[in-house]
Amino acid sequence: METTRHNWTREEILEIYNKPFMDLLYEAATLHRQNHDPNTVQVSTLLSIKTGGCSEDCGYCPQAARYHTNVEGNDLMSVSQVKAQAMRAKEAGSSRVCMGAAWRNVKDGQEFDDVLEMVRTINRLGLEVCCTLGMITENQAKRLAEAGLYAYNHNLDSSEEYYKEVISTRGYQDRLDTIENVRKTAVTVCSGGIIGMGESAEDRAGMLVALSTLNPQPESVPINALVPVEGTPMAEQKQVSIWEMVRMIATTRIVMPETQVRLSAGRTQMSREGQAMCFFAGANSIFAGDKLLTTPNPDVNEDMEMFKALGLNPQKPFVKKAQPQTVDAENSEYQSLGEKPRWTRPGHIIERNLAAQGKSKA
Ligand code: SF4
C-alpha cells in the first residue's frame, strides 16, 4: 500500500506537530516500523574538504567570511588526504562519507575536477559518497553522478518565508532548482533544515510542506538543531528543547515515511535518553565524528556505546540503493562546460546579519 503523500498542507502538518506528545510519538514510531528496521541507524561521516571564507551571509553559519568567528579557513583538501579520512571513517563503522565545501556554487575547473576524483576514490572504497558543495547545474550534477556520487545534500533550511530572514545572498528557488538538477540524475537527494533560528512552528511546517511535496520526496532529510556560534547573527539564540526536536523528527517521519530522517547538528546538547526518543520517533541516521564541519559532535566511541545500550546496529552501505558505477575522468561523457550560471542574489536587508557583520569590523 502506498503510504507516501505528496500533497500535505501546512495546516495538516501543524496539526500533527501539535498533537499530544504520546499520540505523536506512537503514530510516528508505528509508521517508522512499517517502513524501516527500527534497530538500524545509518552512520555518516561529514568531512569539511574546504572550510571557511564563504561569500554567503547564512545567519547560522560560522564559515561565512563576513562574520567574526573563530573558524580557521582551509583550502581544498587533497585527494589523498580525503582518502585517508574516508578509510578511517569506514573502519569506525560509517557507511557514508559526506564532503562539504564552503562554496556558494560549484565552479567548473581544477577544484571541481579534484572533487570528482575524491568521489571516485571514496566510491571505490565501498562507501556511499555524498557531497554538499552549494548550488549546481544539471551538467555538474551529471558529472558527479558519473563519478559515482550516491547523494547530494542541499538544505532548504526553513520555510520559504523564514528563509528570507536568514539569508539574503541566495534565493529559495535556486535551492529548489539545484535539487531538480540532482533529480535529473540517479543521485539521491538529501535536503532538510535547521530549527531554533527564531522561526515559528508554522515555518517548521512550511519547510516540511516544501520537502514532502517534492515528488519523489528526498531520500534523506537532516533535521538540525541550531548550534549558536559566537560571532554569527544567531549567537544569542536559545537552544531548542528536546521536546521540539522530537516533535520535528516525529512529524518529518509521518509526512515522509520512507525517507531516512537524519538527527544532525545539536546532538552534543542532547542526553542519550533524548537521542533515544528521537530514534523511537523515526530518526534513523546520524553523523559520526567529533566535528560537524566546524561545530562539536559526539565522539564515535560515545556513539557506539549508545548504540550498544540501545541495541542499535549501523546500517551497511548500499542497502537502500545499489552502488553507483564510477566512470574514470578520461572516459567521461560529460566534459566541463565552463558554465557561469546566473544564480540569484536577492540582496534584501536582514538587520541581525548586518549587525553581526558590523561587529566584525569593530
Ligand atoms: S551555510 Fe554554506 S553557503 Fe552558507 S555561509 Fe555557510 S558555507 Fe557558505
Side-chain angles (χ1 to χ4, degrees):
M1 191 185 72
E2 168 80 57
T3 52
T4 304
R5 276 180 54 192
H6 299 277
N7 58 354
W8 289 100
T9 65
R10 193 177 288 227
E11 292 67 34
E12 285 174 315
I13 295 180
L14 255 183
E15 206 181 307
I16 295 171
Y17 182 85
N18 287 320
K19 270 185 185 217
F21 192 75
M22 296 307 164
D23 292 349
L24 174 63
L25 216 57
Y26 181 74
E27 192 181 325
T30 306
L31 265 171
H32 185 49
R33 280 160 184 269
Q34 285 167 2
N35 289 279
H36 304 269
D37 173 355
N39 298 313
T40 298
V41 171
Q42 192 265 331
V43 182
S44 293
T45 292
L46 187 52
L47 260 187
S48 184
I49 56 170
K50 189 267 165 193
T51 309
C54 183
S55 60
E56 305 300 278
D57 74 339
C58 310
Y60 50 81
C61 183
Q63 300 199 65
R66 65 188 71 202
Y67 308 133
H68 194 61
T69 64
N70 292 327
V71 167
E72 271 183 45
N74 284 111
D75 290 341
L76 188 66
M77 282 166 72
S78 67
V79 178
S80 58
Q81 280 172 320
V82 167
K83 184 176 181 183
Q85 299 233 25
M87 284 164 75
R88 269 205 291 279
K90 187 178 179 180
E91 257 166 53
S94 282
S95 60
R96 179 181 292 191
V97 170
C98 182
M99 295 187 280
W103 288 332
R104 169 177 165 79
N105 60 287
V106 167
K107 296 190 181 89
D108 289 335
Q110 188 56 51
E111 289 200 324
F112 185 43
D113 290 349
D114 289 350
V115 172
L116 294 170
E117 199 49 41
M118 292 171 196
V119 172
R120 291 185 192 101
T121 306
I122 302 174
N123 186 42
R124 286 192 178 118
L125 291 175
L127 289 165
E128 296 173 9
V129 197
C130 175
C131 279
T132 181
L133 312 169
M135 294 168 290
I136 55 171
T137 64
E138 186 179 334
N139 184 62
Q140 289 164 341
K142 285 179 173 162
R143 293 181 74 201
L144 284 162
E146 197 190 39
L149 192 73
Y150 187 89
Y152 194 80
N153 166 269
H154 202 58
N155 289 334
L156 291 184
D157 292 341
S158 192
S159 66
E160 183 163 12
E161 296 79 12
Y162 199 72
Y163 186 86
K164 297 189 180 87
E165 307 286 323
V166 179
I167 301 156
S168 76
T169 54
R170 50 196 168 89
Y172 209 70
Q173 189 55 48
D174 287 340
R175 315 228 33 98
L176 293 167
D177 291 348
T178 289
I179 291 173
E180 208 180 301
N181 287 338
V182 175
R183 275 286 176 232
K184 290 175 185 155
T185 72
V187 175
T188 61
V189 169
C190 173
S191 183
I194 308 172
I195 65 169
M197 301 189 291
E199 76 291 334
S200 62
E202 283 76 8
D203 289 312
R204 292 175 190 173
M207 179 182 87
L208 293 181
V209 170
L211 292 167
S212 64
T213 53
L214 294 172
N215 193 2
Q217 293 177 342
E219 284 81 357
S220 164
V221 171
I223 301 295
N224 296 278
L226 177 78
V227 179
V229 178
E230 188 70 35
T232 62
M234 295 187 186
E236 305 302 325
Q237 281 295 323
K238 222 174 94 229
Q239 263 164 29
V240 290
S241 72
I242 187 66
W243 311 118
E244 290 172 276
M245 195 63 185
V246 176
R247 280 189 180 279
M248 191 64 186
I249 299 264
T251 309
T252 307
R253 168 52 66 229
I254 292 169
V255 300
M256 290 179 270
E258 292 169 81
T259 291
Q260 293 226 247
V261 179
R262 190 184 309 271
L263 176 59
S264 301
R267 281 202 303 123
T268 38
Q269 280 82 28
M270 287 176 207
S271 67
R272 284 187 180 182
E273 294 84 347
Q275 292 181 61
M277 221 167 7
C278 291
F279 294 132
F280 188 70
N284 57 351
S285 177
I286 58 164
F287 280 118
D290 59 359
K291 273 220 169 144
L292 261 194
L293 295 177
T294 60
T295 55
N297 197 48
D299 181 75
V300 183
N301 295 332
E302 279 175 40
D303 280 338
M304 288 307 128
E305 269 175 36
M306 175 175 70
F307 273 34
K308 209 169 152 206
L310 300 177
L312 294 174
N313 304 306
Q315 182 179 295
K316 296 199 164 46
F318 311 115
V319 289
K320 300 272 176 188
K321 195 172 172 284
Q323 181 170 11
Q325 300 259 319
T326 276
V327 174
D328 285 325
E330 55 272 24
N331 300 325
S332 173
E333 193 186 324
Y334 303 99
Q335 296 306 319
S336 167
L337 298 180
E339 293 171 290
K340 291 196 172 54
R342 286 180 171 264
W343 300 108
T344 62
R345 252 179 216 283
H348 54 281
I349 303 284
I350 304 177
E351 295 292 349
R352 67 179 166 181
N353 288 9
L354 287 180
Q357 216 173 308
K359 270 184 210 154
S360 73
K361 286 181 191 141

